[in-house]
Amino acid sequence: MSTAVNQTTPAKVDGLRRRIGFWLRNDAAALLWPGRCLVCEEEAGEAIDLCERCVAGLPWLGPACLRCAMPLPFAHPPGAACGACQATPPPLDQVHAAYLYAAPLDRLVPRFKFHRDLAAGRLLSQLMAERFEPLPRPEALVPVPLHRARLRQRGYDQALELARPLAQVLGVPLRPGLLRRVRATAAQSELDREARSRNLRDAFRASPAAMPRRVVLVDDVMTTGATLHAAARALRRAGVERVDAWVCARAP
Ligand SMILES: [Zn+2]
Ligand SMILES: [Zn+2]
């Protein structure tokens, strides 16, 4: 069991660019027109579309609950769950968040999600790959699916777009077909906590196919966790033994 991601400190920031070598742009165009930082528009490095200063300013998640990625005080015993997760164990075994949902993630995520900024999506996926690389690999990555009505409206599924390169880089099978969203639900952002989980009851259905034993759900942001929990319950009902979630950002 690894707690590496939720415990990473800013001291590790130096290695970020080096370790995202798999996306290194070494073609002639990149040399002629160096990338611009997607946050401040300064010149970016070779590996990712962020400048040194913005990489250093990314909102790291300090010590966090292993079950829900909620930030915890530094004095909390490492690896222990928060009070809420101890009182009511959630259907997710572990949640790993690459970052806190704070600047600049709170701009990059909506740009990708609502304004078709695919460069921002690529950057978010790179950051997730870099942060989740040390974690044990599951048997499958399953992006939290959109309902087809929402997909038609938006034109792309943001969780799938984040999960696709992540699966490739980490060498984990991508299995979006294991979970379907069978009910179009109201936008979660407009609902309070209780209404969110009511809204999501039976929203997901797992495929009748044989299920892997260990699955990681992928999503952009975790807020209350209601969506991820509903998805995890559907997978567990279908026989998955262990469900974790990897999200780009945790909104505390
Ligand atoms: Zn910058
Ligand atoms: Zn917790």
Side-chain angles (χ1 to χ4, degrees), residues 64-70 72 80-86 90 250:
C65 172
L66 204 55
R67 299 295 297 265
C68 72
M70 188 61 105
L72 292 172
C82 72
C85 290
Q86 284 181 35
R250 177 65 156 112

Side-chain angles (χ1 to χ4, degrees), residues 145-156:
L146 280 181
H147 189 266
R148 59 180 191 281
R150 184 70 59 82
L151 180 61
R152 247 196 324 268
Q153 183 185 47
R154 194 173 289 170
Y156 60 101

Side-chain angles (χ1 to χ4, degrees), residues 37-42 50-55:
C37 174
L38 293 180
V39 176
C40 72
E41 298 186 352
E42 287 295 312
L50 276 183
C51 71
E52 293 290 344
R53 219 164 50 98
C54 290
V55 167

Side-chain angles (χ1 to χ4, degrees), residues 21 53 76 87 96 99-100 117 122 147 174-175 226 234-235:
R53 219 164 50 98
H76 201 88
H96 293 280
Y99 294 95
L100 271 179
D117 186 338
R122 184 183 59 187
H147 189 266
L174 180 68
R175 305 277 307 272
L235 289 173

Side-chain angles (χ1 to χ4, degrees), residues 22-66:
F22 40 75
W23 262 293
L24 201 65
R25 292 172 313 196
N26 53 5
D27 51 79
L31 293 172
L32 286 169
W33 297 287
R36 291 280 145 199
C37 174
L38 293 180
V39 176
C40 72
E41 298 186 352
E42 287 295 312
E43 192 171 311
E46 288 179 321
I48 57 169
D49 290 335
L50 276 183
C51 71
E52 293 290 344
R53 219 164 50 98
C54 290
V55 167
L58 287 170
W60 296 85
L61 192 67
C65 172
L66 204 55

